Amino acid sequence: MDTESTYSGYSYYSGRSRGSHRHGERSRDRHKTRNKDSRSEKSVTINTPPAEPLLGDSAVRGEQVQDDNWGETTTAVTGTSEHSLSQEDIVRITKDLEDSVGLDCRRYFTLALAVILGLLVFLTPLAFLVLPHLLWPEKLQSCGTACEGLFISVAFKLLILLLAVWALFFRPPRAGLPRVFVFRALLAVLVLLFVVSYWLFYGVRILDSQDENYQGIVQYAVSLVDALLFIHYLAIVLLELRQLQPCFSVCVTRSTDGEIRHYNLGQLSIQRAALAILEHYYCDFPVNNPALLSASKSRAAKHLAGLKVYNVDGPGNNAAAAGLVHSQSRAMIAAAARRRDTSHNELYYEEAEHERRVRKRKARLVVAVEEAFTHIKRMQEEEQKKAPGDVMDPREAAQAIFPSMARALQKYLRTTKQQHCHSMESIQQHLAFCITNNMTPKAFLESYLTPGPTLQYSRDHWRARQWTLISEASVTSGLKDGSIFLLKCVDFSLVVTTKKIPYIQMSEEYIDPKSHKFVLRLQSETSV
């Protein structure tokens, strides 16, 4: 049946006063704040770098009311918007601001240390060459041809080192990890100790004695630059090359719908493996749709709601009442078990009816979209002969043909429970994109007929600002066979199990090409 008992979110709220609407939002926000504060777990967090202002994030997290009947009400509405903030909203925004400020301070502090260490590394060889000319210029020996050639060597090596450090270290951060990266911290300590030891040797053997051999001083600076280049090569091996060879197979399971993916990872720590899994998650996993899980819950609740137990003897003493309650609970469990034996028939017919409705709505949607695209093609051929003032741009063309397909598209999205993933504005933008690039109706419908990866949808639906990494082992320790950890966000969690790739033993067997000889065997009686 095509008729559905639905009503518009806008029409529902239009009969209420604006004050009661704001009171409902404040009560929901207070309920969310109490639930968030009541949870306390020993865990570490992975924070993705914020890409939007704070007010935009709070608006995304807040409950948004959108008209579910945009297929019947695709009209342009103009007006003014009013925003009000309660005391709870101000407290929540202040708390989020403190968290974001702490994250930004940590990131900028790490960046400041890296810049200071980099300046120390690059200015040290130049200081080795300049200080003798400033402190005892009259005692220095003249620099010959070989010494001047070393100047060119130092200049080009420093330039190469500068470009290599910029390419390896000064990249935009992908996420904020809960703990420090062990190898990067060890490399920073190694470089610091190396430069300090060179400065100590330079101060004792050259500055104190005021060495007159300037060519030896230049060679000493060249040796420092060579050693720094070797340390950068060590950084490439530890940070980039070590993790390329696959060593572990991880199984990632989403807790809500059981969606599973498998990935091969190299020698990584738990926190960096979690970061790699999250990067794969947004591209490989379909978007999480909580509406698809409500059918099974409502079905189970419906079975229990139909059971009632009556007390025909009337109220008694406490012991008798306790025994009666126990017997009533056992009776309800037994009745639910008997009804469960026949619930598979209901499930079968419900799924069959749902599949039939989906096929019917899909057929209507395909026909409506094909007819709409046929109109826009015909309009394009006719507009070429008209005046330039009558020509429409892609967005105007999309707005012109969208009402003819809006109702069929809305009913299909409701049937497949995808209406919260696609807004009217996003659909019109996608339609204008398809018209601009001369795509077919099938290319336009593919985004709605087939659930795509999480990144395909707007940021309001997939962007989780904070993930919590829960692990029994230290997050800086490496992956091991049998390691289990969780990546938890607000709506669901990702359960990650690790298996080590087994050692493969291969043997060789030689087959002589001349051994491929065959004989035709003929039977005495053959079928004709």
Side-chain angles (χ1 to χ4, degrees):
M1 296 177 65
D2 296 336
T3 60
E4 294 181 352
S5 59
T6 57
Y7 53 87
S8 170
Y10 287 150
S11 62
Y12 175 73
Y13 283 99
S14 61
R16 297 174 179 261
S17 63
R18 187 165 299 177
S20 63
H21 175 63
R22 293 171 182 169
H23 177 72
E25 289 184 346
R26 288 196 296 269
S27 63
R28 286 192 295 271
D29 291 336
R30 285 197 297 269
H31 180 67
K32 293 179 181 179
T33 305
R34 288 196 299 269
N35 291 339
K36 183 177 180 181
D37 295 336
S38 63
R39 295 191 299 268
S40 61
E41 294 181 348
K42 292 183 178 180
S43 59
V44 291
T45 57
I46 294 180
N47 296 299
T48 56
E52 292 184 353
L54 183 63
L55 292 176
D57 290 340
S58 63
V60 170
R61 286 192 296 269
E63 184 177 353
Q64 296 179 356
V65 180
Q66 181 181 346
D67 189 4
D68 293 333
N69 291 327
W70 47 260
E72 289 84 358
T73 58
T74 54
T75 56
V77 180
T78 59
T80 59
S81 61
E82 297 181 0
H83 300 278
S84 62
L85 293 177
S86 63
Q87 186 67 26
E88 291 80 3
D89 296 333
I90 297 175
V91 173
R92 177 164 50 86
I93 291 175
T94 305
K95 185 176 180 181
D96 293 340
L97 181 60
E98 292 176 357
D99 296 338
S100 62
V101 167
L103 178 62
D104 293 338
C105 291
R106 178 183 174 185
R107 188 170 74 241
Y108 290 136
F109 179 73
T110 305
L111 181 61
L113 288 181
V115 171
I116 292 174
L117 184 59
L119 291 176
L120 179 63
V121 167
F122 284 102
L123 294 180
T124 295
L126 301 178
F128 287 171
L129 299 177
V130 173
L131 286 179
H133 286 283
L134 297 178
L135 299 180
W136 61 94
E138 66 280 354
K139 297 181 180 180
L140 289 178
Q141 297 177 1
S142 61
C143 186
T145 305
C147 179
E148 294 176 355
L150 292 176
F151 284 144
I152 301 176
S153 175
V154 169
F156 277 100
K157 287 179 180 178
L158 284 177
L159 178 61
I160 294 173
L161 183 62
L162 177 63
L163 295 177
V165 169
W166 170 78
L168 182 61
F169 294 103
F170 290 92
R171 290 181 288 186
R174 297 180 296 175
L177 298 180
R179 302 289 180 87
V180 300
F181 189 11
V182 177
F183 285 136
R184 181 169 291 187
L186 290 177
L187 287 171
V189 173
L190 177 61
V191 170
L192 182 60
L193 293 177
F194 186 77
V195 174
V196 170
S197 63
Y198 258 77
W199 269 110
L200 291 176
F201 186 85
Y202 184 82
V204 173
R205 298 301 299 271
I206 298 177
L207 291 181
D208 291 345
S209 61
Q210 294 185 355
D211 192 1
E212 300 177 358
N213 186 9
Y214 188 68
Q215 183 175 356
I217 297 174
V218 175
Q219 290 177 350
Y220 183 72
V222 171
S223 66
L224 172 60
V225 178
D226 293 337
L228 291 174
L229 287 173
F230 281 109
I231 292 178
H232 185 271
Y233 173 73
L234 177 63
I236 294 176
V237 173
L238 293 178
L239 302 181
E240 300 294 336
L241 301 182
R242 182 175 176 270
Q243 63 189 19
L244 294 181
Q245 183 179 2
C247 298
F248 299 94
S249 176
V250 295
C251 176
V252 185
T253 306
R254 189 160 57 189
S255 60
T256 53
D257 55 358
E259 192 76 24
I260 296 178
R261 295 291 186 275
H262 295 270
Y263 303 105
N264 291 336
L265 298 179
Q267 294 285 350
L268 293 172
S269 62
I270 293 179
Q271 62 177 358
R272 291 186 62 81
L275 177 59
I277 289 171
L278 288 179
E279 291 174 351
H280 287 295
Y281 167 78
Y282 286 122
C283 298
D284 297 342
F285 276 76
V287 66
N288 182 51
N289 193 352
L292 296 177
L293 304 177
S294 60
S296 59
K297 296 181 181 179
S298 62
R299 190 183 303 112
K302 182 176 65 175
H303 291 321
L304 294 178
L307 300 176
K308 293 182 180 180
V309 179
Y310 298 94
N311 184 11
V312 297
D313 296 332
N317 55 9
N318 294 332
L324 180 61
V325 170
H326 181 66
S327 61
Q328 287 178 358
S329 61
R330 294 184 60 182
M332 289 188 65
I333 294 175
R338 287 192 298 270
R339 293 189 63 177
R340 195 184 306 116
D341 296 336
T342 59
S343 61
H344 63 278
N345 292 328
E346 299 178 6
L347 177 62
Y348 172 76
Y349 287 113
E350 285 179 5
E351 291 182 350
E353 177 65 20
H354 178 72
E355 291 177 358
R356 186 193 68 82
R357 291 181 62 192
V358 169
R359 291 195 301 267
K360 187 175 182 180
R361 298 288 169 82
K362 180 180 177 181
R364 290 186 176 181
L365 175 61
V366 170
V367 172
V369 172
E370 288 180 352
E371 291 180 355
F373 270 73
T374 303
H375 291 313
I376 194 62
K377 287 181 180 179
R378 185 164 57 248
M379 289 171 62
Q380 286 180 352
E381 294 176 357
E382 295 175 357
E383 292 294 338
Q384 293 178 358
K385 303 177 182 178
K386 293 185 178 180
D390 299 332
V391 177
M392 296 187 299
D393 59 3
R395 183 169 182 82
E396 293 176 350
Q399 293 176 352
I401 66 172
F402 178 70
S404 61
M405 69 176 75
R407 184 178 179 84
L409 181 57
Q410 184 195 31
K411 286 188 175 182
Y412 177 80
L413 294 179
R414 284 179 177 175
T415 305
T416 56
K417 300 185 184 301
Q418 302 181 62
Q419 68 274 12
H420 67 284
C421 297
H422 304 279
S423 63
M424 182 175 65
E425 181 65 23
S426 65
I427 295 174
Q428 289 183 357
Q429 291 178 359
H430 181 57
L431 180 59
F433 173 78
C434 294
I435 294 174
T436 304
N437 296 276
N438 197 21
M439 294 185 180
T440 60
K442 184 178 180 181
F444 168 75
L445 288 173
E446 192 66 23
S447 300
Y448 311 104
L449 300 181
T450 305
T454 310
L455 278 176
Q456 177 181 338
Y457 299 90
S458 61
R459 183 168 297 176
D460 299 351
H461 299 291
W462 64 262
R463 181 68 179 267
R465 187 174 181 269
Q466 181 169 330
W467 289 83
T468 304
L469 175 59
I470 304 174
S471 174
E472 295 181 356
S474 175
V475 295
T476 56
S477 60
L479 290 176
K480 297 179 182 179
D481 187 15
S483 299
I484 300 175
F485 57 92
L486 273 72
L487 287 167
K488 188 177 181 181
C489 67
V490 179
D491 299 327
F492 59 91
S493 60
L494 301 177
V495 183
V496 183
T497 57
T498 307
K499 295 293 182 181
K500 188 175 182 180
I501 297 178
Y503 177 78
I504 301 174
Q505 180 68 38
M506 299 182 64
S507 61
E508 180 185 3
E509 181 180 355
Y510 175 74
I511 298 178
D512 189 4
K514 297 181 180 180
S515 63
H516 300 295
K517 306 293 183 181
F518 301 93
V519 178
L520 182 62
R521 295 189 302 176
L522 298 177
Q523 298 180 359
S524 58
E525 295 181 0
T526 59
S527 59
V528 179

